[in-house]
Amino acid sequence: MNNWQRQHPAAILVSFFQGLRQLIVSFVVIFIFGSTSGGMRLLYTAGIMLVILTGSLIVSAVSWYRFEFRLIEEELQVKQGLFVRKKRYIRRNRVQSIHINAPVPQRFFGLVEVSIETAGGGDEPEFTLSALPVEKAEQIRGELLYGSEKEEIFAGEISSGMDQALSEPVEEKPRRTWELGFRRLLLAAVTSSGVGIAATFAAALLSQLPQFLPDWLLGIALGWIVQSSLVYIGLFIVTVLLLAWIFTILSTVIKYGQFQVTEQNGELFISKGLIEKKQLTIQQHRINAVRIVQNVLRQPLGYCAVYIESAGGGTKDEDFSTILLPMCKKSQVPELLETMAPDFAFTPEFHPLPRTAVRRYMIKPLIPITAGAAAASYFLPFGWLIWILLVPAALLGYLQYKSAGLALSDRHVFLRWRTLSLEEAFLPRPRIQSVAFTQNPLQRNAGLFSLHMSVLTTVTGKTFSLKHTGDDQKEDVMSWYSYQNGSPNASDIDRAHAETVE
Amino acid sequence: MRPLPDHSLAPELLRVWRISSLGSTLFLCIFPLGYFGASLLWDLPLWIMYILIGGVVLLGLFDIIFMQRWKWKRWKYAVYEDEVELLRGVIIRERVIIPMIRVQHVDTRQGPLLRHYGLASVTISTAATIHEIPGLKEADADELRDSIARLAREADPDE
């Protein structure tokens, strides 16, 4: 691997397919909006599409040709670019995590995709080699994670298949594996909180449906709806929810099917995915925070999901965190974390917020509902019904107050809060980059503060907040976090300034 | 109780803030101007325009005279051996603690307006957050930058 080399030629097709996927979306958009706005010239559209397709194929081929990489000692070097030549050297000690994925197009050729996450560094945190044979991917991962001293171990293992991709280079300590399993996967799918998002999507889709129905059918349907509107609106909502639910179940099963975490020598290997197989390697000491989430459906069952926050890794659909355990018993979390992330294996005892905070928590959800209900009862015939929502809103506020809590240990701070789902965050003191306390005028009257703690996660930081803590809790956190021994005095500062002047 | 930070920003900064506040007030003038333009095209009551003008003038005066002064008065910072502390905000008050060992780099920055008044801002970056002390005398800013950099270097990275 010491010479400059190109990716597998299939990379051309892969990037072409990726381009195609985006084109399909725009094609569908053109089709939907174009067809409604009158006779679109089909031939004209097809011609444009053909030109775009050929163009993107040529671009794919040239950029494949211009993309060269080589692996030298503990470093991956890459040259790329059509007109502007870019060179990128990734050193081993800058690597945060490495994913090996096998998306569907690559699978046809028995290839994998390697993504390398480096810490910080501007707008391109991730670096991707899109089509490599498994053994080369393994070699790059080995070199960038373990360095050359352990390279020989790979030599014997270069064999076929994705099963081998998880193979560990060092066999010193036993590996410990946790599998999601079918039962928990199903439970995770059924109780997934993605329903809301899927429901909006399904509603949008269904509301577009009349455009594609023939006029006579639409006429009949409209007649029915006018006759007994409430029943049909109800039916519409039920259909939407059911569709959304089925959709989330399917997507969860596809996303987290065959989920497995393995711990060995301070490293976590996470592999998941039914259709597109994803693998992720993350070092335990790179974990900056752990987050435990119990959504409304899972909390009564005693189940939760566990996420880890680290500088590398993290995807958009997981809120820039990495999922460690998609579904497990809440009571088992400390025990599981003992192996998976020993620095975070705690069962904190949360201290509640002061009683004065109840009002702040309860009033907040009431305000938008009150405004909405006032407007609705003025403008809509049955608008006053919205006032009923005040009850669940107040209840939610009360639950938010009850859930909120704070705990401190020598090295960790533990936060618990609820938006709708109940969430806990475990943050070690050395990983908290800065702490802020804020107070708005209403909080000032009640002597309350909000805490904000920032931790490094993918690309940018993430801030964990706890609203309406008491004054004593604020002081506790401040003295716990502060690195200043005793109370600072002005002479120290002056001395510090004086020294620099000299 | 921990003492509050006690260092103020440079007094000249207030003038800089007032000038930029004047700028944003002038920008708000597009509303009455836009309404005036619309009233030339359509038949619209002019009194709404006077209300808009009055609103912009009052808001601008309030912002320039009071808000900026309060903001300046509220802004305090302190640099200790192991951490930097900031205190700011008129309506929402914020107090920030940045440990020296978390500081990744410190910059001083100077826009044309700040340069004219011989001021500079100090920007402190950690791995996850960026904080700014908005205006100090150039010499003070340089000195503060160097001393934060030095303290950050000296801080024990193991804790």
Side-chain angles (χ1 to χ4, degrees):
Chain A
M1 291 277 270
N2 286 339
N3 307 322
W4 288 104
Q5 49 185 302
R6 298 198 173 85
Q7 301 186 82
H8 193 280
I12 302 172
L13 286 175
V14 168
S15 85
F16 175 66
F17 279 130
Q18 276 163 355
L20 202 63
R21 216 153 51 178
Q22 287 161 2
L23 286 179
I24 283 173
V25 173
S26 53
F27 187 75
V28 167
V29 168
I30 290 171
F31 178 74
I32 289 176
F33 290 99
S35 64
T36 51
S37 69
M40 186 85 177
R41 293 133 302 230
L42 199 68
L43 209 69
Y44 188 55
T45 321
I48 291 178
M49 292 303 285
L50 201 70
V51 170
I52 294 172
L53 288 184
T54 328
S56 76
L57 191 63
I58 292 171
V59 169
S60 301
V62 174
S63 51
W64 167 79
Y65 182 77
R66 295 289 272 176
F67 188 107
E68 288 178 290
F69 67 96
R70 70 173 173 186
L71 192 62
I72 59 168
E73 251 179 71
E74 307 202 342
E75 189 171 76
L76 180 69
Q77 304 187 337
V78 175
K79 294 195 285 194
Q80 63 176 325
L82 241 58
F83 300 109
V84 184
R85 282 298 249 177
K86 263 201 288 189
K87 282 187 183 174
R88 196 129 184 228
Y89 296 170
I90 301 169
R91 284 207 62 77
R92 182 191 157 208
N93 51 16
R94 304 282 296 143
V95 173
Q96 292 285 337
S97 67
I98 296 179
H99 308 240
I100 297 182
N101 298 338
V104 179
Q106 276 89 331
R107 275 199 176 181
F108 284 122
F109 304 97
L111 301 171
V112 292
E113 175 189 270
V114 182
S115 322
I116 299 157
E117 300 261 11
T118 52
D123 51 350
E124 287 176 53
E126 190 176 80
F127 182 81
T128 307
L129 292 161
S130 60
L132 288 180
V134 178
E135 55 265 31
K136 259 185 203 166
E138 280 288 281
Q139 208 179 340
I140 288 172
R141 187 173 77 167
E143 187 71 39
L144 291 182
L145 281 184
Y146 312 108
S148 46
E149 73 267 25
K150 288 159 189 167
E151 203 181 20
E152 68 276 5
I153 294 147
F154 281 88
E157 277 192 336
I158 298 171
S159 56
S160 63
M162 285 295 294
D163 301 316
Q164 237 69 29
L166 259 181
S167 60
E168 280 74 69
V170 208
E171 304 293 342
E172 292 156 7
K173 286 185 192 163
R175 44 191 281 190
R176 282 169 292 189
T177 303
W178 182 87
E179 278 179 18
L180 183 59
F182 182 69
R183 217 179 63 87
R184 275 189 291 233
L185 173 64
L186 207 64
L187 199 59
V190 171
T191 60
S192 166
S193 62
V195 182
I197 301 159
T200 10
F201 190 70
L205 216 64
L206 274 188
S207 65
Q208 289 296 308
L209 204 62
Q211 291 191 18
F212 300 101
L213 291 178
D215 281 346
W216 59 271
L217 198 67
L218 205 65
I220 294 171
L222 267 178
W224 279 345
I225 290 170
V226 170
Q227 271 170 23
S228 49
S229 57
L230 270 180
V231 177
Y232 279 90
I233 290 171
L235 222 69
F236 177 75
I237 292 172
V238 169
T239 318
V240 163
L241 282 179
L242 203 69
L243 276 178
W245 198 48
I246 292 168
F247 178 76
T248 40
I249 287 178
L250 283 179
S251 70
T252 315
V253 167
I254 288 168
K255 213 158 74 179
Y256 296 131
Q258 297 177 1
F259 189 99
Q260 196 181 32
V261 198
T262 305
E263 185 278 333
Q264 191 176 37
N265 299 317
E267 270 174 2
L268 294 173
F269 303 92
I270 300 171
S271 76
K272 64 181 174 193
L274 213 56
I275 293 171
E276 181 178 334
K277 217 157 176 39
K278 289 189 177 176
Q279 292 188 35
L280 161 71
T281 312
I282 205 160
Q283 283 161 323
Q284 279 180 342
H285 69 89
R286 292 253 155 96
I287 301 174
N288 288 335
V290 162
R291 198 155 52 89
I292 302 172
V293 183
Q294 288 187 288
N295 75 27
V296 191
L297 294 173
R298 289 173 188 175
Q299 203 193 345
L301 302 171
Y303 278 89
C304 65
V306 179
Y307 295 84
I308 52 182
E309 314 280 352
S310 69
T315 51
K316 240 180 220 155
D317 47 324
E318 282 168 9
D319 206 11
F320 291 109
S321 314
T322 304
I323 198 153
L324 179 67
L325 309 167
M327 189 77 176
C328 69
K329 275 267 180 209
K330 179 77 181 4
S331 53
Q332 285 179 333
V333 169
E335 183 193 329
L336 286 166
L337 284 178
E338 190 70 58
T339 33
M340 299 306 171
D343 197 24
F344 296 89
F346 296 99
T347 330
E349 292 211 0
F350 289 99
H351 298 289
L353 302 183
R355 284 210 57 80
T356 41
V358 185
R359 231 171 2 134
R360 295 263 68 78
Y361 272 101
M362 286 181 69
I363 289 172
K364 199 180 169 198
L366 292 183
I367 292 170
I369 301 274
T370 310
S377 46
Y378 186 78
F379 290 112
L380 298 174
F382 287 98
W384 53 269
L385 279 171
I386 307 268
W387 289 106
I388 296 170
L389 286 178
L390 282 179
V391 179
L395 194 70
L396 176 66
Y398 184 71
L399 279 178
Q400 284 177 338
Y401 163 73
K402 272 300 194 193
S403 310
L406 176 72
L408 291 168
S409 78
D410 287 350
R411 243 180 120 254
H412 291 76
V413 64
F414 307 95
L415 305 176
R416 189 173 65 187
W417 71 95
R418 178 194 292 280
T419 34
L420 204 60
S421 304
L422 184 65
E423 294 192 49
E424 287 175 21
F426 296 6
L427 314 168
R429 188 168 92 126
R431 301 302 165 95
I432 301 172
Q433 302 292 336
S434 68
V435 165
F437 307 89
T438 58
Q439 203 177 36
N440 64 35
L442 292 172
Q443 287 177 316
R444 200 139 52 230
N445 286 338
L448 299 171
F449 294 84
S450 294
L451 307 185
H452 311 275
M453 307 194 174
S454 303
V455 167
L456 178 62
T457 55
T458 318
V459 193
T460 52
K462 195 176 214 167
T463 302
F464 294 95
S465 300
L466 186 64
K467 282 179 184 160
H468 315 313
T469 60
D471 189 44
D472 48 339
Q473 283 171 320
K474 176 210 85 173
E475 287 294 322
D476 284 350
V477 171
M478 206 183 275
S479 59
W480 170 83
Y481 185 66
S482 176
Y483 286 75
Q484 199 66 26
N485 305 319
S487 64
N489 53 53
S491 67
D492 273 348
I493 311 152
D494 293 341
R495 186 146 40 81
H497 280 265
E499 279 169 18
T500 37
V501 175
E502 283 163 22
Chain B
M1 275 293 258
R2 189 191 157 98
L4 295 170
D6 52 358
H7 284 48
S8 293
L9 302 172
E12 295 88 340
L13 181 66
L14 183 54
R15 193 166 292 171
V16 174
W17 277 351
R18 281 181 167 159
I19 291 170
S20 46
S21 164
L22 183 70
S24 42
T25 306
L26 286 178
F27 180 74
L28 280 184
C29 290
I30 61 162
F31 289 107
L33 275 176
Y35 189 83
F36 180 68
S39 72
L40 291 180
L41 290 177
W42 299 285
D43 190 23
L44 295 171
L46 272 183
W47 58 269
I48 292 184
M49 190 181 77
Y50 296 126
I51 287 180
L52 282 174
I53 290 174
V56 168
V57 167
L58 280 180
L59 205 72
L61 284 178
F62 176 75
D63 190 33
I64 293 167
I65 296 170
F66 296 106
M67 209 57 188
Q68 299 305 321
R69 180 156 67 223
W70 290 337
K71 195 168 113 187
W72 187 88
K73 262 190 171 167
R74 284 266 170 236
W75 232 111
K76 301 277 176 185
Y77 71 95
V79 180
Y80 306 122
E81 207 151 323
D82 293 320
E83 57 201 25
V84 180
E85 195 174 339
L86 312 176
L87 181 67
R88 63 169 169 219
V90 178
I91 295 165
I92 294 175
R93 280 186 210 160
E94 187 183 26
R95 192 172 175 187
V96 187
I97 298 177
I98 312 148
M100 287 295 180
I101 38 172
R102 304 282 159 255
V103 174
Q104 298 230 319
H105 52 264
V106 198
D107 309 312
T108 48
R109 287 182 199 180
Q110 213 176 24
L113 209 55
L114 285 178
R115 193 177 313 136
H116 181 256
Y117 286 95
L119 301 176
S121 66
V122 179
T123 307
I124 305 164
S125 310
T126 69
T129 53
I130 296 171
H131 311 271
E132 189 184 42
I133 301 175
L136 299 174
K137 288 222 173 62
E138 261 172 88
D140 288 347
D142 288 344
E143 192 185 306
L144 182 66
R145 180 198 59 210
D146 293 344
S147 84
I148 291 176
R150 186 180 50 79
L151 288 168
R153 208 162 45 235
E154 280 172 4
D156 181 9
D158 285 336
E159 175 28 17

